[in-house]
Amino acid sequence: MELKTHWNGSGASSVLVGSVMIGAGGYTVIAGPCAVESETQIMASAEFVAEGGGAILRGGAFKGRTSPYEFQGLGEEGLRYLRRAGDANGLPVLSDVTEPGDVGLVSEFVDMLQIGARSMQDFALLRAVGQTEKPVLLKRGPAATIEEWLLAAEYILNEGNSQVVLGEQGIRTFDSTTSSTLDIGSVPSVKRLSHLPVIIDPSHASGASEIVLPLALAGRAAGADGLMVEVHPSPDEALTDGPHQLDKDEYLALMHALGIVRLRADIDVIDREIVRLLARRVKGAVDIARIKVEEGIPLRSLDREEDLLADVREEAELLGLDANVVHELFVEIIRYSRVEQAQALDRPPESE
Amino acid sequence: MELKTHWNGSGASSVLVGSVMIGAGGYTVIAGPCAVESETQIMASAEFVAEGGGAILRGGAFKGRTSPYEFQGLGEEGLRYLRRAGDANGLPVLSDVTEPGDVGLVSEFVDMLQIGARSMQDFALLRAVGQTEKPVLLKRGPAATIEEWLLAAEYILNEGNSQVVLGEQGIRTFDSTTSSTLDIGSVPSVKRLSHLPVIIDPSHASGASEIVLPLALAGRAAGADGLMVEVHPSPDEALTDGPHQLDKDEYLALMHALGIVRLRADIDVIDREIVRLLARRVKGAVDIARIKVEEGIPLRSLDREEDLLADVREEAELLGLDANVVHELFVEIIRYSRVEQAQALDRPPESE
Amino acid sequence: MELKTHWNGSGASSVLVGSVMIGAGGYTVIAGPCAVESETQIMASAEFVAEGGGAILRGGAFKGRTSPYEFQGLGEEGLRYLRRAGDANGLPVLSDVTEPGDVGLVSEFVDMLQIGARSMQDFALLRAVGQTEKPVLLKRGPAATIEEWLLAAEYILNEGNSQVVLGEQGIRTFDSTTSSTLDIGSVPSVKRLSHLPVIIDPSHASGASEIVLPLALAGRAAGADGLMVEVHPSPDEALTDGPHQLDKDEYLALMHALGIVRLRADIDVIDREIVRLLARRVKGAVDIARIKVEEGIPLRSLDREEDLLADVREEAELLGLDANVVHELFVEIIRYSRVEQAQALDRPPESE
Amino acid sequence: MELKTHWNGSGASSVLVGSVMIGAGGYTVIAGPCAVESETQIMASAEFVAEGGGAILRGGAFKGRTSPYEFQGLGEEGLRYLRRAGDANGLPVLSDVTEPGDVGLVSEFVDMLQIGARSMQDFALLRAVGQTEKPVLLKRGPAATIEEWLLAAEYILNEGNSQVVLGEQGIRTFDSTTSSTLDIGSVPSVKRLSHLPVIIDPSHASGASEIVLPLALAGRAAGADGLMVEVHPSPDEALTDGPHQLDKDEYLALMHALGIVRLRADIDVIDREIVRLLARRVKGAVDIARIKVEEGIPLRSLDREEDLLADVREEAELLGLDANVVHELFVEIIRYSRVEQAQALDRPPESE
């Protein structure tokens, strides 16, 4: 039998949440506090989420908690605050739904429904969200195989809703150094089996804010379509999961490390990156020059330079740049490389 | 009690294998077949390992195998072939040592000793390699906590040998989609606790060659100091672990994805990358321009340009480039950005 | 904070299901098919469950299944059949409830509600059953720690329902020889921490009918208060979980091995057991006699015999037997033991 | 390929350690301290091990420890003390061997070699003990599947030594309530696959002395051929693994619960058990009588009594008892049952 979640040759799916696309080659950041605790708290969170480049705002209103004596969320009031905070900052919003009976209520307020890890095999809930038109983020259960996770998604697709994103947040293993073990291999494994987008949640996997950043980078490198990260204006005062929530500065540092930054800063960063690449280029050219001298090969190869410049023009055109301008820049760069080669070899630059 | 493996404030350690440094900000690739099977096979492997930019050659001569009826390695003969293949291709070599009694023999032939996952708590073996001056790659056992792994390393350091690199190759969990679960979180966790370098081995963690590349990229993104990857000229004919060994093309694709390529190719890649960054820069500048127009802010800010150029000079100097040359390049780049802004906004460029 | 599920010094709890007590030193067997498939099937099951000494009839009507394309249970119709089968055979009945919205419906039909492993942390469901007066069997989730399991029970007790029995059915581990790993240590661990009764479910833990019997015996030996076992008139034709369901003969063999048999058979078994103990007694007496002869000690000790008979009288009175009758029986038994000793030593019995 | 460890139709194997048989239907207890710490300590241990009915004395001399800074065992001196303590108490002895180079030395002193869990896949060690004629206890590694465990045993059998006993001491899982999770299902699983005897080690699996007894009973109920249990004269002062070692009283209580007691005590226990069975028999007879009265069936059935007595004679002969004596005893028992029936029903006993 062919499963609706399985790869079928017609390409990877993408899921539209408000105006935000998940999948299709992009990289989407969902951020927000574990739980909506007050209007002030979610509003403050939403502001810095948007400022840092986050695309979707999360916030739990119905919280499943291990003990009955812990904070259980603000319910409908929390959803109302979340919606307002999202609207005020131009962000679509996501919140957990834990019971089939709540699907209608939560759907009124959010742009994307989350099914948490503990509910991954609540089949009535899967069917209920499958009957809505809301996108769904389906977290992997802590003891679920990848096959079981995809079959849980199958329940949703089988009801007619194909807007499903998978979320890896770690599995239970013997090692308690991190709160659960992020199964980074699940990202490429899911990509081989299924057309659905997959994101990672390093917050729940890590249990410590210092580990969130490297896990987030690893997830993107492994091919994830995005990231869910928990942030809080004052993690120390959080009513739930304080230890792994990032504060504003940690969040901005994460977004910077991911290369997701506001426009102005972006140009600074790009310029610095260009300079770094120039340095690597010059070093490479000098290394080649040394080898050529040892082997008695002429330093300069006009054919090679022409090829290089042709490649560069082609690349520029592909990317919509003015090929002549870029050509001139690289003539200059090549000239400069030759100067550095000559200095390193202690001889005059070859004439043009 | 202060452990010798623990972080002590005096910085991260690096380990020198032949002329190759592991740690200290670099990224080192160890590659080679699971087992040395013949002189031809290891020689062919070594050639393409070197060609692709691998820094150290691996090859097992004493193979611990689950069943007594499987190929157990060529022993001393295998070590001899490995050494020759390394020497012929300018690569230091690494091989497993599984018994204290073999440490002397294996040390004669190799530059780095590997203690495999099954031997992680063979304490006599740990002491024996601790009494040599060879660098040691200590793999994590499939059921070992991070604490136990560091204490195993402590046995080696306690004998006087501090040249230890840790190797993560996955832990045993309930999910058999991949052959073991790469604990990507162990990389930042080890970095927090210890000064020792840590590399990952995606080959043993994946069990399938298609999963090796994304895991390798994830490991580097998470902060690993390097990679061990198994390669084979003809994985289908391998006597051991065929399914996860990469062939030459897969290996070269991996090295390319990691940005590790031969010098000539490197410059091509760098140039292409510079062009891509130029395109991102131009797009960013255009986006800013649109916002400025909407908000009635003048397009050009001379102060901002001066700041940018000052930053660029500073970066160039830091990296040992000629600051004037780089300055001129960026004057040109900024000018070009203005031209593109003007075209996008359908107005003449502001005069200089 | 003192938890309601925790041991508090006022003794172990027992839970009354219809007229059947779970806990309080007894050993209760819950048996029946995984799913109610038809009236015929559940009726046939109930008959042999009762015949073999089972105390409670189980049968699933709302089945949570890994795939949406598998049999999902008969729903209310199944509950109706289950009730009839229980009533016809004098057995209280148990069935799963998977959603808060179903608690009312299922409660109309059953004497005990089961919360399956996948629903262990469905907190709304826990609260909903906590608001009924029905006894609840709470299965442990496959990745739940014992602490989390007790906290899930706490949700039920906290709503006012203290009629909770815990059910261990195995946890997820790396070894797939059995379908999950029965955590036999959870039985004494729960007994140390909590006053709640605990039973084991070897059917789900084993995945194979041959493993059910040894696990059942192990559970009782470890101190479990009972057993849930899945049985089916024709396991090969079962719509769900066929491989681990016992057929009638396997079930009767299990009940026999547990020493749970119908009255008539019981007396046969008891008599045979008495004979076996007589044989062990005689062998022990002969062994002692040999030692005494070697060491030159007189064979018969009148003091020892008097002590023995006094102990026996005391035990008889404790158990409500006629002490004189039992005394006479043992006088006879001791006399016989002396005869056997003498024969074994090849000498005449010592005179009385 | 047919494996030497696999079930081959020629029955279960038994292993002879000194004069003690493991397997073949018996139940063998191996007991002693984790480590030999001094001559006094091992001698005191051996005395109460023997007193309680233990069959083999254990004591570690070469201890593999997680940290290099922990007590590593007394080595050869420890072996000498162990041998003396065993000889003085009539017990064969067992100790760990951790390195191939130590096999000769340890074999000089012990009757059985143990390969610990960490060394289960030290293949050179497996081969080395396979070349001796010593029985071997092979512990299961904490992350080893049953298949891998049997393949490790295969290494030993393949060298010519078939005297192998398997030892289950728990696997690593996510739950840290017990120090590892005793995989009780491994006992029947191994019995299905292999002819080798299997014992369990509840000490290492439990991590706490209170859990040892229920796990030991569970192991026997599941079909294990024996038990290894760690005991120490003063667990609080033990140099290793204090928390799970039993003191003398705990050990004697365990042996009592297992029904392994010295001969004298044995007869007391058997007599008490006979009395208990009489009470159950009488209660059963009374229950039947009540049913008969309700249903108008005559109380006494001479045919039934004759069948019963015939069965009892047969059983007695099978067990080597004098059938006439046993017959007479049961005539008496039946008569007494009738008396109790009559009293319970408040009517005169039926005449003979």
Side-chain angles (χ1 to χ4, degrees):
Chain A
M1 167 165 201
E2 197 171 312
L3 296 178
K4 297 180 177 65
T5 47
H6 276 200
W7 190 258
N8 55 18
S10 64
S13 297
S14 56
V15 170
L16 193 66
V17 182
S19 60
V20 173
M21 189 73 90
I22 305 180
Y27 185 77
T28 307
V29 175
I30 303 170
C34 177
V36 178
E37 299 172 5
S38 69
E39 185 159 13
T40 320
Q41 173 250 17
I42 186 66
M43 196 60 80
S45 303
E47 279 165 20
F48 73 75
V49 165
E51 181 186 344
I56 300 175
L57 178 67
R58 63 149 288 132
F62 295 94
K63 299 301 303 173
R65 307 301 305 287
T66 303
S67 160
Y69 310 122
E70 295 173 307
F71 174 62
Q72 309 272 325
L74 298 180
E76 183 172 344
E77 192 188 354
L79 292 171
R80 208 175 303 278
Y81 297 157
L82 175 69
R83 179 80 264 169
R84 260 182 237 158
D87 289 347
N89 292 277
L91 300 171
V93 302
L94 165 153
S95 197
D96 298 75
V97 59
T98 58
E99 296 303 327
D102 293 341
V103 171
L105 174 67
V106 180
S107 295
E108 279 177 44
F109 290 95
V110 307
D111 303 292
M112 184 177 211
L113 298 164
Q114 170 168 302
I115 294 187
R118 288 181 183 120
S119 306
M120 190 200 87
Q121 289 191 319
D122 185 337
F123 301 111
L125 180 61
L126 295 172
R127 283 200 202 89
V129 300
Q131 287 156 13
T132 71
E133 298 187 344
K134 292 283 175 185
V136 179
L137 174 60
L138 177 65
K139 292 287 193 79
R140 178 183 183 185
T145 63
I146 288 173
E147 188 191 356
E148 290 166 343
W149 190 18
L150 290 176
L151 283 168
E154 190 77 17
Y155 270 87
I156 304 173
L157 272 72
N158 196 39
E159 297 293 324
N161 183 350
S162 60
Q163 296 287 93
V164 175
V165 175
L166 300 166
E168 160 74 35
Q169 68 173 27
I171 56 176
R172 274 243 160 127
T173 69
F174 63 85
D175 194 353
S176 55
T177 309
T178 46
S179 60
S180 72
T181 298
L182 188 76
D183 181 8
I184 192 75
S186 73
V187 175
S189 295
V190 162
K191 292 276 175 199
R192 286 176 74 190
L193 293 168
S194 174
H195 56 87
L196 297 175
V198 58
I199 69 170
I200 68 155
D201 172 349
S203 299
H204 285 94
S206 70
S209 57
E210 297 92 325
I211 305 291
V212 169
L213 191 147
L215 291 186
L217 295 174
R220 191 172 59 170
D225 298 292
L227 174 71
M228 167 175 281
V229 63
E230 291 194 354
V231 302
H232 193 283
S234 316
D236 292 347
E237 297 164 22
L239 299 180
T240 62
D241 283 356
H244 72 234
Q245 299 199 58
L246 304 186
D247 65 17
K248 180 178 171 178
D249 287 347
E250 291 167 327
Y251 167 73
L252 294 179
L254 167 65
M255 298 304 270
H256 185 77
L258 285 165
I260 300 170
V261 281
R262 285 162 302 163
L263 289 172
R264 174 58 54 88
D266 207 9
I267 286 182
D268 294 357
V269 170
I270 290 172
D271 285 356
R272 221 172 297 132
E273 189 59 22
I274 292 174
V275 177
R276 254 185 235 131
L277 284 169
L278 284 174
R280 271 182 64 195
R281 190 194 197 287
V282 165
K283 189 182 169 303
V286 167
D287 288 347
I288 289 175
R290 284 211 179 89
I291 294 168
K292 285 178 167 175
V293 167
E294 276 176 26
E295 302 185 0
I297 302 169
L299 270 193
R300 192 166 178 200
S301 154
L302 292 177
D303 285 358
R304 163 87 177 138
E305 281 177 17
E306 270 167 36
D307 285 355
L308 260 179
L309 288 168
D311 285 355
V312 155
R313 290 187 74 96
E314 195 182 331
E315 189 81 13
E317 276 160 12
L318 261 174
L319 294 165
L321 296 175
D322 182 324
N324 292 327
V325 172
V326 174
H327 182 100
E328 284 313 307
L329 281 170
F330 274 88
V331 166
E332 194 55 43
I333 289 171
I334 291 169
R335 184 180 302 135
Y336 174 49
S337 290
R338 274 207 310 280
V339 171
E340 292 276 354
Q341 286 177 326
Q343 284 182 349
L345 297 172
D346 209 19
R347 55 160 78 175
E350 299 192 11
S351 61
E352 309 259 322
Chain B
M1 166 164 202
E2 196 172 309
L3 295 178
K4 296 179 177 68
T5 46
H6 276 200
W7 189 257
N8 55 18
S10 64
S13 297
S14 55
V15 169
L16 193 66
V17 182
S19 59
V20 173
M21 188 73 91
I22 304 180
Y27 185 76
T28 308
V29 175
I30 304 170
C34 178
V36 178
E37 300 172 5
S38 69
E39 185 158 15
T40 319
Q41 172 250 17
I42 186 67
M43 196 59 80
S45 303
E47 278 165 21
F48 74 74
V49 165
E51 181 185 343
I56 299 175
L57 178 68
R58 64 150 286 132
F62 295 93
K63 299 303 301 174
R65 306 301 305 286
T66 303
S67 160
Y69 309 123
E70 295 173 308
F71 175 61
Q72 309 272 327
L74 297 180
E76 183 171 345
E77 192 188 354
L79 293 173
R80 207 174 304 277
Y81 297 156
L82 176 68
R83 179 80 265 169
R84 259 181 238 160
D87 289 347
N89 292 278
L91 301 170
V93 301
L94 165 153
S95 196
D96 298 77
V97 60
T98 58
E99 298 302 327
D102 294 340
V103 171
L105 173 68
V106 180
S107 295
E108 280 177 43
F109 290 95
V110 306
D111 302 292
M112 184 176 211
L113 297 165
Q114 170 168 303
I115 294 188
R118 289 184 183 115
S119 306
M120 191 200 87
Q121 289 191 318
D122 184 338
F123 301 111
L125 180 60
L126 296 171
R127 283 201 200 89
V129 301
Q131 287 156 14
T132 71
E133 298 188 343
K134 292 284 174 185
V136 179
L137 174 59
L138 178 64
K139 291 288 193 77
R140 180 183 183 186
T145 62
I146 289 174
E147 189 192 357
E148 290 166 343
W149 189 19
L150 289 176
L151 283 168
E154 190 77 17
Y155 270 87
I156 304 173
L157 272 72
N158 196 39
E159 298 292 326
N161 183 351
S162 60
Q163 297 286 94
V164 175
V165 175
L166 299 166
E168 160 74 35
Q169 68 172 28
I171 57 177
R172 273 243 160 128
T173 69
F174 63 85
D175 194 353
S176 55
T177 309
T178 46
S179 59
S180 73
T181 299
L182 188 77
D183 181 8
I184 191 76
S186 73
V187 174
S189 296
V190 162
K191 292 275 174 200
R192 287 176 73 191
L193 293 168
S194 174
H195 55 87
L196 297 175
V198 58
I199 70 170
I200 67 155
D201 172 350
S203 299
H204 284 93
S206 70
S209 56
E210 297 90 326
I211 305 292
V212 169
L213 190 148
L215 292 185
L217 294 174
R220 190 171 61 168
D225 299 291
L227 175 70
M228 168 174 283
V229 62
E230 292 193 353
V231 301
H232 192 285
S234 315
D236 292 347
E237 297 164 22
L239 300 181
T240 64
D241 284 355
H244 71 235
Q245 300 200 57
L246 303 185
D247 65 19
K248 179 177 172 179
D249 287 346
E250 291 168 327
Y251 167 73
L252 294 179
L254 167 64
M255 298 303 270
H256 184 78
L258 285 165
I260 299 169
V261 280
R262 285 161 302 161
L263 290 172
R264 172 61 54 90
D266 206 10
I267 286 183
D268 295 355
V269 170
I270 291 173
D271 285 356
R272 219 170 298 132
E273 189 59 23
I274 291 174
V275 177
R276 253 184 236 132
L277 285 169
L278 284 175
R280 271 181 66 195
R281 192 195 196 284
V282 165
K283 187 181 171 305
V286 167
D287 288 348
I288 289 176
R290 284 211 179 89
I291 295 168
K292 285 179 167 174
V293 167
E294 277 174 27
E295 300 185 0
I297 303 167
L299 273 192
R300 191 165 179 199
S301 156
L302 293 178
D303 286 359
R304 163 83 177 140
E305 282 177 15
E306 270 168 36
D307 285 356
L308 261 179
L309 289 167
D311 285 355
V312 154
R313 292 188 73 96
E314 198 182 326
E315 189 79 13
E317 276 159 11
L318 261 174
L319 294 166
L321 296 174
D322 183 321
N324 292 326
V325 173
V326 173
H327 182 101
E328 284 312 306
L329 281 170
F330 273 89
V331 167
E332 194 55 44
I333 289 170
I334 292 168
R335 182 182 302 134
Y336 173 50
S337 291
R338 273 206 311 281
V339 171
E340 292 275 353
Q341 286 177 328
Q343 283 183 347
L345 297 171
D346 208 19
R347 57 159 78 178
E350 297 192 14
S351 62
E352 307 264 321
Chain C
M1 167 167 201
E2 196 170 310
L3 296 178
K4 297 179 176 68
T5 46
H6 276 201
W7 191 257
N8 54 17
S10 64
S13 297
S14 55
V15 170
L16 194 65
V17 182
S19 60
V20 173
M21 189 73 92
I22 304 180
Y27 185 78
T28 308
V29 175
I30 304 170
C34 177
V36 179
E37 298 170 6
S38 70
E39 186 159 14
T40 320
Q41 173 250 17
I42 186 67
M43 196 60 80
S45 303
E47 279 166 20
F48 74 75
V49 165
E51 181 185 343
I56 300 174
L57 179 67
R58 65 149 285 132
F62 295 93
K63 299 301 303 174
R65 307 302 305 287
T66 303
S67 161
Y69 310 122
E70 295 173 308
F71 175 62
Q72 309 272 326
L74 297 180
E76 182 171 345
E77 192 188 355
L79 293 172
R80 207 175 304 277
Y81 296 157
L82 175 69
R83 178 79 266 168
R84 261 183 234 157
D87 288 348
N89 292 278
L91 300 170
V93 301
L94 164 153
S95 197
D96 298 76
V97 60
T98 57
E99 296 302 325
D102 294 339
V103 170
L105 173 69
V106 180
S107 295
E108 279 179 43
F109 290 96
V110 306
D111 302 291
M112 185 174 212
L113 297 165
Q114 170 168 302
I115 294 188
R118 287 184 185 116
S119 306
M120 192 199 87
Q121 290 191 319
D122 184 338
F123 302 112
L125 180 61
L126 296 172
R127 284 201 199 88
V129 301
Q131 286 157 13
T132 72
E133 297 187 345
K134 293 283 174 185
V136 179
L137 174 59
L138 178 64
K139 291 288 193 77
R140 178 183 184 187
T145 64
I146 289 173
E147 188 191 358
E148 289 165 343
W149 190 18
L150 291 175
L151 283 167
E154 190 78 16
Y155 269 87
I156 305 173
L157 272 72
N158 196 39
E159 297 292 325
N161 183 351
S162 61
Q163 297 286 94
V164 175
V165 175
L166 300 166
E168 161 73 34
Q169 68 173 28
I171 56 177
R172 273 242 160 128
T173 69
F174 63 86
D175 195 353
S176 56
T177 309
T178 47
S179 59
S180 72
T181 299
L182 189 76
D183 181 8
I184 192 76
S186 73
V187 175
S189 295
V190 162
K191 292 275 175 201
R192 288 175 73 191
L193 292 169
S194 174
H195 56 87
L196 297 176
V198 59
I199 70 170
I200 68 155
D201 172 350
S203 299
H204 284 94
S206 69
S209 57
E210 298 90 325
I211 305 291
V212 170
L213 191 147
L215 291 186
L217 295 173
R220 190 170 62 168
D225 298 292
L227 175 70
M228 167 173 284
V229 62
E230 291 193 354
V231 301
H232 193 284
S234 314
D236 291 347
E237 297 164 23
L239 299 181
T240 63
D241 283 356
H244 71 234
Q245 299 200 58
L246 303 185
D247 65 19
K248 179 178 172 179
D249 288 347
E250 290 167 329
Y251 167 72
L252 294 178
L254 167 65
M255 298 304 270
H256 184 78
L258 285 165
I260 299 171
V261 282
R262 285 161 302 160
L263 289 171
R264 174 59 55 88
D266 207 8
I267 286 183
D268 295 355
V269 170
I270 291 172
D271 286 356
R272 219 169 300 133
E273 189 60 21
I274 291 175
V275 178
R276 255 185 233 130
L277 284 169
L278 284 174
R280 272 183 64 193
R281 193 195 195 285
V282 166
K283 188 182 172 303
V286 167
D287 287 347
I288 290 176
R290 285 213 177 89
I291 294 168
K292 285 179 166 173
V293 168
E294 276 176 26
E295 299 186 0
I297 303 167
L299 272 192
R300 191 164 181 202
S301 155
L302 292 178
D303 286 0
R304 163 82 178 140
E305 282 178 13
E306 272 169 34
D307 285 357
L308 259 180
L309 289 168
D311 284 355
V312 155
R313 290 188 74 96
E314 197 182 326
E315 189 79 13
E317 277 160 11
L318 262 174
L319 294 167
L321 296 174
D322 183 323
N324 291 328
V325 173
V326 174
H327 182 102
E328 284 313 307
L329 280 170
F330 273 89
V331 166
E332 195 52 45
I333 288 171
I334 292 169
R335 183 181 300 135
Y336 174 51
S337 290
R338 274 209 308 281
V339 172
E340 292 277 353
Q341 285 177 326
Q343 283 182 350
L345 297 172
D346 208 18
R347 54 159 77 176
E350 298 191 12
S351 60
E352 310 261 325
Chain D
M1 168 166 198
E2 198 171 308
L3 296 178
K4 298 180 175 66
T5 46
H6 275 200
W7 188 258
N8 55 18
S10 63
S13 298
S14 56
V15 170
L16 194 66
V17 181
S19 59
V20 173
M21 189 72 91
I22 304 182
Y27 185 76
T28 308
V29 175
I30 304 170
C34 177
V36 179
E37 299 172 4
S38 69
E39 184 157 15
T40 319
Q41 173 251 17
I42 187 66
M43 196 60 81
S45 303
E47 279 166 20
F48 75 74
V49 165
E51 181 185 343
I56 300 175
L57 179 67
R58 65 148 285 132
F62 295 93
K63 300 300 302 173
R65 307 301 305 288
T66 303
S67 161
Y69 310 122
E70 296 173 306
F71 175 62
Q72 309 271 327
L74 298 180
E76 182 171 347
E77 192 187 354
L79 292 172
R80 207 175 305 277
Y81 296 157
L82 175 70
R83 178 80 266 169
R84 261 182 235 160
D87 288 348
N89 292 277
L91 299 171
V93 301
L94 164 153
S95 197
D96 298 75
V97 59
T98 57
E99 296 302 326
D102 293 340
V103 171
L105 174 68
V106 179
S107 295
E108 279 178 43
F109 289 96
V110 306
D111 302 292
M112 185 176 211
L113 297 165
Q114 171 169 302
I115 293 187
R118 286 184 185 118
S119 307
M120 191 199 87
Q121 290 191 320
D122 185 338
F123 301 111
L125 180 60
L126 296 172
R127 284 203 200 89
V129 301
Q131 287 157 13
T132 72
E133 297 188 345
K134 292 283 175 186
V136 178
L137 175 59
L138 177 66
K139 291 289 193 77
R140 180 182 182 188
T145 63
I146 288 173
E147 188 192 357
E148 290 166 341
W149 191 17
L150 290 175
L151 283 168
E154 189 78 17
Y155 270 87
I156 304 174
L157 271 73
N158 196 39
E159 297 292 325
N161 184 351
S162 60
Q163 297 287 94
V164 174
V165 175
L166 299 166
E168 160 74 35
Q169 67 172 28
I171 55 176
R172 276 243 159 126
T173 69
F174 63 85
D175 194 352
S176 55
T177 310
T178 46
S179 60
S180 71
T181 299
L182 188 76
D183 180 9
I184 192 74
S186 73
V187 175
S189 294
V190 162
K191 292 276 174 200
R192 286 176 74 192
L193 293 168
S194 174
H195 55 87
L196 297 176
V198 58
I199 70 170
I200 67 154
D201 172 349
S203 299
H204 285 94
S206 69
S209 57
E210 297 91 326
I211 305 290
V212 170
L213 190 147
L215 291 186
L217 294 174
R220 191 171 60 169
D225 299 291
L227 177 69
M228 167 174 282
V229 62
E230 291 194 353
V231 302
H232 193 284
S234 315
D236 292 346
E237 297 164 22
L239 300 180
T240 63
D241 283 355
H244 71 233
Q245 300 200 56
L246 304 185
D247 66 18
K248 179 178 173 178
D249 287 348
E250 291 168 326
Y251 167 72
L252 294 178
L254 168 64
M255 297 304 270
H256 184 77
L258 285 166
I260 300 169
V261 280
R262 284 161 301 161
L263 290 172
R264 174 58 54 89
D266 205 11
I267 285 183
D268 295 356
V269 169
I270 290 172
D271 285 357
R272 220 170 299 131
E273 190 58 22
I274 291 174
V275 177
R276 253 186 235 131
L277 283 170
L278 283 174
R280 270 182 65 193
R281 191 195 196 287
V282 165
K283 187 178 172 307
V286 167
D287 287 348
I288 289 175
R290 284 212 178 89
I291 294 169
K292 285 178 166 173
V293 167
E294 277 176 27
E295 301 185 359
I297 303 168
L299 270 193
R300 191 164 179 203
S301 156
L302 292 178
D303 286 359
R304 163 84 177 142
E305 282 177 15
E306 271 169 34
D307 284 357
L308 259 180
L309 289 167
D311 283 357
V312 155
R313 289 189 74 96
E314 196 182 328
E315 189 81 13
E317 276 160 9
L318 260 175
L319 294 166
L321 296 174
D322 183 323
N324 291 328
V325 172
V326 173
H327 182 101
E328 282 314 306
L329 281 170
F330 273 87
V331 166
E332 195 53 46
I333 288 170
I334 292 169
R335 183 181 301 133
Y336 173 51
S337 291
R338 274 207 309 281
V339 172
E340 292 277 354
Q341 285 178 327
Q343 283 181 350
L345 297 171
D346 209 18
R347 55 159 77 176
E350 297 191 15
S351 61
E352 310 262 325

